[in-house]
Amino acid sequence: MDSTSTRSARRRTGDELELEIDSLAQGGRGVARADGYVVFVTGALPGDRVRARLTKAKRDYAEATSVDLLRPGADRVADACTHDGEPCPGAPWQGLPYDLQLAEKSRQVAEALRRLGGLEGFELSPIVPAVDGWRYRNKLEYSFGERDGAVALGFHRRGSWSEIVDVEDCKLASEPNNAARNAVREWARAERIGAYDSRAATGILRNLIVREGRRSGQIQTRLVTSPGELPRPPVDLHTVIEGRAGGTVGPTGVLGAEHLAEELGGLRFRVSHDAFLQTNTEMAERLYGIVAESCGLRGGERVFDLFCGIGTIALSIARGAGEVWGLESVPDAVADAEENAAANGIDNASFVCADARLGVRPLIEQAGSPDVVVVDPPRAGLSKKIVRRVLEADARRVVYVSCNPTTLAPNAAQMVEAGYTLRRVQPVDMFPQTPHVECVAVLER
Ligand SMILES: C[S@@+](CC[C@H](N)C(=O)[O-])C[C@H]1O[C@@H](n2cnc3c(N)ncnc32)[C@H](O)[C@@H]1O
């Protein structure tokens, strides 16, 4: 259990160590150093002394999960969101005061751009704080399990694949989201429907996703099950029941509305089950405002919105542009985007369903070179090939919306190498109590 002779005695997975956390790594885990050996510790914050169990042990570094907080760091604040006595796994930074969360996110953005992208000379704007620290998520995913013979519905216990911690009130979610989850659990218990057990291959219920239209008050739920007969779920929950391979099973399939209604920046949107929607509605509006400003439109420009989802960015900027073209790979999201343009009376927005790898060249041929390209890819960022396609578009400005500075950095570096200048990076806090940070980066030729 000592923390000083780590290197001499090679550690193994499952070993427990006492560690002092001295900083936070990219991605948010605590960093401890023991005799030159670096340990990345889930569930630990700077200043903490913890007992941690190794989950991976390599020659020069290890990964671990905190199993006991022996002495909290001086800056720690009490956990506000706990489930069954455990800190909420969705809020790993809740012990850090909010001003320190913001400072750490800014530091991580700057570090990623400089160290992973070799980028210098850009303006790093002060991070935009979140409007609400809690109850901001419009979507949460829960897992089913069994506890004391009854169905449990909540999150995996930290470091466990099989144990589910029942959730009564998750403070990242609104009260209606919590109520919807609890209603599904009560229904499962009352109807005696079992949770799916992957080892025994028995039971039915696997996951529940609850999404909420913050402005419409609507709830959209997706119940993921194994094939089997189910009694009718609560009808006011818009429920889709999926089979093992994703096919719809059960007596009724889709109940209630298939599309969630939401409003953003004064525009009305419909959202299909398979379509992406920013999980913090209020901060999405702030983000889209920053994107619109970053595009610097005067009225006649052609804009590409790549990775456009249901058309939120394209439609937010359409009135200030000549024409906008959205590209997105999920067919239902593209159908939503077209419907959303029509519902808002926007007639200068067109949408294409394609993979960005293959769809950008034909889009340039069809629409002509854009003045501005907006990209908003998933966490993995852009592949080198997609960056090359963006470069071929030859826009004078690229506005890159990123949810992961470690992938923004190499993508922006590739663009800089091809002749763009990274002008400005604006971090935005969409996810308080977590290490996630959003950025809007502006590159110009
Ligand atoms: C981070 S979301 C952004 C969506 C939208 N801009 C918004 O704010 O709602 C990324 C989107 O990219 C889409 N996507 C992922 N990979 C893609 C690809 N290779 N080509 C085109 N779209 C892709 C996803 O379906 C998702 O809608």
mmCIF file of all heavy atoms in Angstrom, residues 276 278 288 307-309 312-313 327-330 354-356 376-378, ligand 1:
data_model
loop_
_atom_site.group_PDB
_atom_site.id
_atom_site.type_symbol
_atom_site.label_atom_id
_atom_site.label_comp_id
_atom_site.label_asym_id
_atom_site.label_seq_id
_atom_site.Cartn_x
_atom_site.Cartn_y
_atom_site.Cartn_z
ATOM 1 N N PHE A 276 -29.103 13.796 -33.576
ATOM 2 C CA PHE A 276 -28.337 14.449 -32.508
ATOM 3 C C PHE A 276 -29.012 15.754 -32.101
ATOM 4 O O PHE A 276 -29.508 16.496 -32.937
ATOM 5 C CB PHE A 276 -26.923 14.753 -33.030
ATOM 6 C CG PHE A 276 -26.070 15.525 -32.064
ATOM 7 C CD1 PHE A 276 -25.277 14.877 -31.130
ATOM 8 C CD2 PHE A 276 -26.073 16.916 -32.074
ATOM 9 C CE1 PHE A 276 -24.490 15.592 -30.238
ATOM 10 C CE2 PHE A 276 -25.300 17.639 -31.187
ATOM 11 C CZ PHE A 276 -24.502 16.975 -30.260
ATOM 12 N N GLN A 278 -27.915 18.908 -29.191
ATOM 13 C CA GLN A 278 -27.012 19.331 -28.109
ATOM 14 C C GLN A 278 -27.694 19.063 -26.776
ATOM 15 O O GLN A 278 -28.873 19.388 -26.610
ATOM 16 C CB GLN A 278 -26.697 20.827 -28.241
ATOM 17 C CG GLN A 278 -25.792 21.174 -29.409
ATOM 18 C CD GLN A 278 -24.336 20.801 -29.177
ATOM 19 O OE1 GLN A 278 -23.941 20.379 -28.089
ATOM 20 N NE2 GLN A 278 -23.552 20.931 -30.208
ATOM 21 N N TYR A 288 -24.630 28.672 -30.564
ATOM 22 C CA TYR A 288 -25.016 29.017 -31.939
ATOM 23 C C TYR A 288 -24.890 30.523 -32.171
ATOM 24 O O TYR A 288 -24.572 30.959 -33.276
ATOM 25 C CB TYR A 288 -26.437 28.536 -32.246
ATOM 26 C CG TYR A 288 -26.589 27.025 -32.168
ATOM 27 C CD1 TYR A 288 -27.809 26.432 -31.869
ATOM 28 C CD2 TYR A 288 -25.499 26.176 -32.388
ATOM 29 C CE1 TYR A 288 -27.950 25.055 -31.799
ATOM 30 C CE2 TYR A 288 -25.625 24.806 -32.308
ATOM 31 C CZ TYR A 288 -26.857 24.246 -32.009
ATOM 32 O OH TYR A 288 -26.976 22.882 -31.931
ATOM 33 N N PHE A 307 -21.728 18.273 -40.901
ATOM 34 C CA PHE A 307 -22.136 17.615 -39.644
ATOM 35 C C PHE A 307 -23.297 18.421 -39.040
ATOM 36 O O PHE A 307 -23.257 18.811 -37.883
ATOM 37 C CB PHE A 307 -20.978 17.526 -38.644
ATOM 38 C CG PHE A 307 -19.742 16.862 -39.185
ATOM 39 C CD1 PHE A 307 -18.787 17.583 -39.875
ATOM 40 C CD2 PHE A 307 -19.554 15.492 -39.014
ATOM 41 C CE1 PHE A 307 -17.648 16.971 -40.390
ATOM 42 C CE2 PHE A 307 -18.420 14.873 -39.513
ATOM 43 C CZ PHE A 307 -17.459 15.611 -40.208
ATOM 44 N N CYS A 308 -24.334 18.653 -39.848
ATOM 45 C CA CYS A 308 -25.353 19.649 -39.478
ATOM 46 C C CYS A 308 -26.465 19.114 -38.589
ATOM 47 O O CYS A 308 -27.285 19.902 -38.107
ATOM 48 C CB CYS A 308 -25.950 20.273 -40.733
ATOM 49 S SG CYS A 308 -26.988 19.109 -41.666
ATOM 50 N N GLY A 309 -26.537 17.785 -38.363
ATOM 51 C CA GLY A 309 -27.614 17.266 -37.520
ATOM 52 C C GLY A 309 -28.978 17.671 -38.068
ATOM 53 O O GLY A 309 -29.252 17.552 -39.270
ATOM 54 N N THR A 312 -29.653 22.795 -36.925
ATOM 55 C CA THR A 312 -29.702 23.888 -35.935
ATOM 56 C C THR A 312 -28.801 25.062 -36.313
ATOM 57 O O THR A 312 -29.230 26.213 -36.276
ATOM 58 C CB THR A 312 -29.302 23.361 -34.541
ATOM 59 O OG1 THR A 312 -28.160 22.517 -34.698
ATOM 60 C CG2 THR A 312 -30.431 22.589 -33.890
ATOM 61 N N ILE A 313 -27.541 24.789 -36.699
ATOM 62 C CA ILE A 313 -26.625 25.886 -37.019
ATOM 63 C C ILE A 313 -27.020 26.498 -38.360
ATOM 64 O O ILE A 313 -27.156 27.723 -38.485
ATOM 65 C CB ILE A 313 -25.155 25.396 -37.036
ATOM 66 C CG1 ILE A 313 -24.723 25.012 -35.614
ATOM 67 C CG2 ILE A 313 -24.228 26.477 -37.612
ATOM 68 C CD1 ILE A 313 -23.314 24.454 -35.496
ATOM 69 N N LEU A 327 -24.820 19.326 -44.461
ATOM 70 C CA LEU A 327 -24.467 17.945 -44.826
ATOM 71 C C LEU A 327 -24.435 17.111 -43.552
ATOM 72 O O LEU A 327 -23.834 17.528 -42.555
ATOM 73 C CB LEU A 327 -23.108 17.920 -45.532
ATOM 74 C CG LEU A 327 -22.647 16.547 -46.034
ATOM 75 C CD1 LEU A 327 -21.951 16.667 -47.373
ATOM 76 C CD2 LEU A 327 -21.721 15.880 -45.030
ATOM 77 N N GLU A 328 -25.070 15.938 -43.617
ATOM 78 C CA GLU A 328 -25.218 15.115 -42.414
ATOM 79 C C GLU A 328 -25.429 13.669 -42.859
ATOM 80 O O GLU A 328 -26.063 13.414 -43.880
ATOM 81 C CB GLU A 328 -26.431 15.651 -41.615
ATOM 82 C CG GLU A 328 -27.089 14.715 -40.639
ATOM 83 C CD GLU A 328 -26.199 14.351 -39.456
ATOM 84 O OE1 GLU A 328 -25.538 15.244 -38.895
ATOM 85 O OE2 GLU A 328 -26.158 13.151 -39.115
ATOM 86 N N SER A 329 -24.901 12.700 -42.057
ATOM 87 C CA SER A 329 -24.967 11.304 -42.498
ATOM 88 C C SER A 329 -26.188 10.539 -41.988
ATOM 89 O O SER A 329 -26.476 9.459 -42.487
ATOM 90 C CB SER A 329 -23.689 10.570 -42.073
ATOM 91 O OG SER A 329 -23.571 10.597 -40.676
ATOM 92 N N VAL A 330 -26.905 11.052 -40.985
ATOM 93 C CA VAL A 330 -28.061 10.305 -40.456
ATOM 94 C C VAL A 330 -29.323 10.731 -41.223
ATOM 95 O O VAL A 330 -29.737 11.888 -41.137
ATOM 96 C CB VAL A 330 -28.233 10.552 -38.936
ATOM 97 C CG1 VAL A 330 -29.541 9.955 -38.415
ATOM 98 C CG2 VAL A 330 -27.044 9.986 -38.174
ATOM 99 N N ALA A 354 -25.200 12.617 -46.560
ATOM 100 C CA ALA A 354 -23.972 11.963 -47.045
ATOM 101 C C ALA A 354 -22.951 11.903 -45.923
ATOM 102 O O ALA A 354 -23.005 12.687 -44.968
ATOM 103 C CB ALA A 354 -23.373 12.758 -48.213
ATOM 104 N N ASP A 355 -22.022 10.964 -46.084
ATOM 105 C CA ASP A 355 -20.862 10.925 -45.198
ATOM 106 C C ASP A 355 -19.922 12.057 -45.635
ATOM 107 O O ASP A 355 -19.699 12.244 -46.836
ATOM 108 C CB ASP A 355 -20.172 9.561 -45.361
ATOM 109 C CG ASP A 355 -19.103 9.353 -44.316
ATOM 110 O OD1 ASP A 355 -18.158 10.174 -44.253
ATOM 111 O OD2 ASP A 355 -19.208 8.386 -43.557
ATOM 112 N N ALA A 356 -19.371 12.767 -44.674
ATOM 113 C CA ALA A 356 -18.509 13.908 -45.011
ATOM 114 C C ALA A 356 -17.296 13.484 -45.852
ATOM 115 O O ALA A 356 -16.780 14.259 -46.643
ATOM 116 C CB ALA A 356 -18.053 14.608 -43.739
ATOM 117 N N ASP A 376 -18.834 20.774 -37.351
ATOM 118 C CA ASP A 376 -19.182 20.460 -35.958
ATOM 119 C C ASP A 376 -19.169 18.934 -35.793
ATOM 120 O O ASP A 376 -20.207 18.304 -35.639
ATOM 121 C CB ASP A 376 -20.578 21.033 -35.641
ATOM 122 C CG ASP A 376 -20.977 20.849 -34.185
ATOM 123 O OD1 ASP A 376 -20.143 20.360 -33.386
ATOM 124 O OD2 ASP A 376 -22.121 21.178 -33.840
ATOM 125 N N PRO A 377 -17.957 18.330 -35.863
ATOM 126 C CA PRO A 377 -17.885 16.866 -35.861
ATOM 127 C C PRO A 377 -18.054 16.268 -34.464
ATOM 128 O O PRO A 377 -17.984 16.989 -33.468
ATOM 129 C CB PRO A 377 -16.467 16.606 -36.379
ATOM 130 C CG PRO A 377 -15.678 17.785 -35.924
ATOM 131 C CD PRO A 377 -16.622 18.957 -35.940
ATOM 132 N N PRO A 378 -18.254 14.945 -34.385
ATOM 133 C CA PRO A 378 -18.265 14.258 -33.089
ATOM 134 C C PRO A 378 -16.889 14.328 -32.418
ATOM 135 O O PRO A 378 -15.935 14.842 -32.997
ATOM 136 C CB PRO A 378 -18.620 12.815 -33.441
ATOM 137 C CG PRO A 378 -19.126 12.841 -34.843
ATOM 138 C CD PRO A 378 -18.508 14.031 -35.503
HETATM 139 C C1 LIG B 1 -21.669 17.071 -32.703
HETATM 140 S S1 LIG B 1 -23.025 16.680 -33.745
HETATM 141 C C2 LIG B 1 -23.423 18.278 -34.363
HETATM 142 C C3 LIG B 1 -24.790 18.452 -34.932
HETATM 143 C C4 LIG B 1 -25.291 19.874 -35.100
HETATM 144 N N1 LIG B 1 -24.289 20.789 -35.604
HETATM 145 C C5 LIG B 1 -25.890 20.404 -33.800
HETATM 146 O O1 LIG B 1 -25.298 21.292 -33.167
HETATM 147 O O2 LIG B 1 -26.959 19.927 -33.423
HETATM 148 C C6 LIG B 1 -22.233 15.828 -35.040
HETATM 149 C C7 LIG B 1 -23.141 15.374 -36.170
HETATM 150 O O3 LIG B 1 -22.329 14.771 -37.177
HETATM 151 C C8 LIG B 1 -22.989 13.643 -37.717
HETATM 152 N N2 LIG B 1 -21.942 12.803 -38.312
HETATM 153 C C9 LIG B 1 -21.090 11.966 -37.678
HETATM 154 N N3 LIG B 1 -20.210 11.441 -38.542
HETATM 155 C C10 LIG B 1 -20.496 11.968 -39.756
HETATM 156 C C11 LIG B 1 -19.909 11.826 -41.054
HETATM 157 N N4 LIG B 1 -18.874 11.015 -41.253
HETATM 158 N N5 LIG B 1 -20.437 12.534 -42.069
HETATM 159 C C12 LIG B 1 -21.490 13.353 -41.877
HETATM 160 N N6 LIG B 1 -22.087 13.529 -40.664
HETATM 161 C C13 LIG B 1 -21.588 12.845 -39.621
HETATM 162 C C14 LIG B 1 -23.729 13.069 -36.532
HETATM 163 O O4 LIG B 1 -24.821 12.261 -36.958
HETATM 164 C C15 LIG B 1 -24.179 14.337 -35.788
HETATM 165 O O5 LIG B 1 -25.439 14.759 -36.239
#
